[in-house]
Amino acid sequence: MIKIIVSLAMLLASSIVTSQNQPQNIQTQLDSIWKTDQDIRFELIKLQQEGKMNSDETKELAQQMKTQDSVNLEKVESILQNGWPDDLNMQGNQTIFLVIQHADLQTQKEYLPVIEKAVQDNKTFPANLALLKDRMALREGKKQIYGSQIFIDSNTGKKYVQPLQNPEGVDKLRAEVGLPSMETYLQQSFQMGWKLEEYYKNLPEIEKLLEERKSAK
């Protein structure tokens, strides 16, 4: 069964000093949410790198992550009741995006317009919106646009790019939202190569694995 371990969304933000114009309690809440969101995911990455994808430890940690994501979502939804806060630092803005990115499909649909407006207001990156659209598309049984979503076959450890709408034009689409080329992204984030011919060669296997995952749910 395929285990999706990491998405690029987790790797995009960096820590910035808190803006003194932002009410401290909101920024402090988001700093705490950021830590709980990231720490558990880095632990999962570590277990993946150690070849423990199918271990009880990984399964238990994945369940803890699911529970923590629900707690974090409740907190972020409370913050967003009065709109996206102004004057957050980069990490604070990124935290709001990540919590929505890690939520269920219905929640992502609900907050998609919020993310779109945040991009227009320069509160979050166009690349974040691209990542969200990719994840939503795959969850809806469609193909992704920007090639951000990777999965790993837990039986073989082989990594795949999930099916793309426009493989030939994916790098152009990525550049339009500020994402690096597929070659750069895959090498830096997943130690994978990228060749269009190889993608098409692997596509039948990708589709087979996706169907198996769907049937296993």
Side-chain angles (χ1 to χ4, degrees), residues 8-9 20 30 32 39 49 83 102 126 132 155-156 158 183 202:
L8 179 62
Q20 294 182 0
L30 290 170
S32 176
D39 284 355
Q49 293 171 339
H102 296 151
L132 179 60
N155 293 319
T156 65
K158 188 171 182 178
E183 182 178 5
N202 290 331

Side-chain angles (χ1 to χ4, degrees), residues 70-148:
S70 296
V71 172
N72 289 345
L73 177 60
E74 184 176 345
K75 294 177 180 178
V76 164
E77 287 183 319
S78 178
I79 291 172
L80 290 176
Q81 283 182 351
N82 297 317
W84 196 295
D86 293 323
D87 300 320
L88 291 174
N89 65 28
M90 185 182 293
Q91 180 174 294
N93 286 317
Q94 188 71 0
T95 298
I96 293 175
F97 163 73
L98 287 176
V99 170
I100 294 171
Q101 172 79 340
H102 296 151
D104 60 272
L105 178 58
Q106 187 57 44
T107 299
Q108 291 174 338
K109 287 181 177 180
E110 179 182 351
Y111 284 97
L112 178 60
V114 176
I115 299 295
E116 290 173 333
K117 187 175 187 306
V119 171
Q120 293 172 4
D121 294 341
N122 295 316
K123 292 181 176 180
T124 195
F125 304 113
N128 283 341
L129 180 59
L131 300 179
L132 179 60
K133 287 182 175 179
D134 270 358
R135 183 165 289 193
M136 289 176 63
L138 292 173
R139 285 178 163 182
E140 292 173 332
K142 303 173 184 177
K143 296 180 179 180
Q144 62 175 330
I145 303 169
Y146 300 99
S148 65

Side-chain angles (χ1 to χ4, degrees), residues 144 146-147 150 160-164 166-171 174 181-187 191-200 202 206:
Q144 62 175 330
Y146 300 99
I150 310 301
Y160 297 90
V161 175
Q162 298 208 46
L164 296 161
N166 181 6
E168 287 80 4
V170 66
D171 278 342
R174 290 175 64 84
S181 68
M182 287 293 288
E183 182 178 5
T184 299
Y185 165 55
L186 294 176
Q187 179 58 45
Q191 295 73 56
M192 294 172 61
W194 169 253
K195 290 184 178 179
L196 197 58
E197 298 82 1
E198 190 72 13
Y199 166 80
Y200 279 119
N202 290 331
I206 296 170

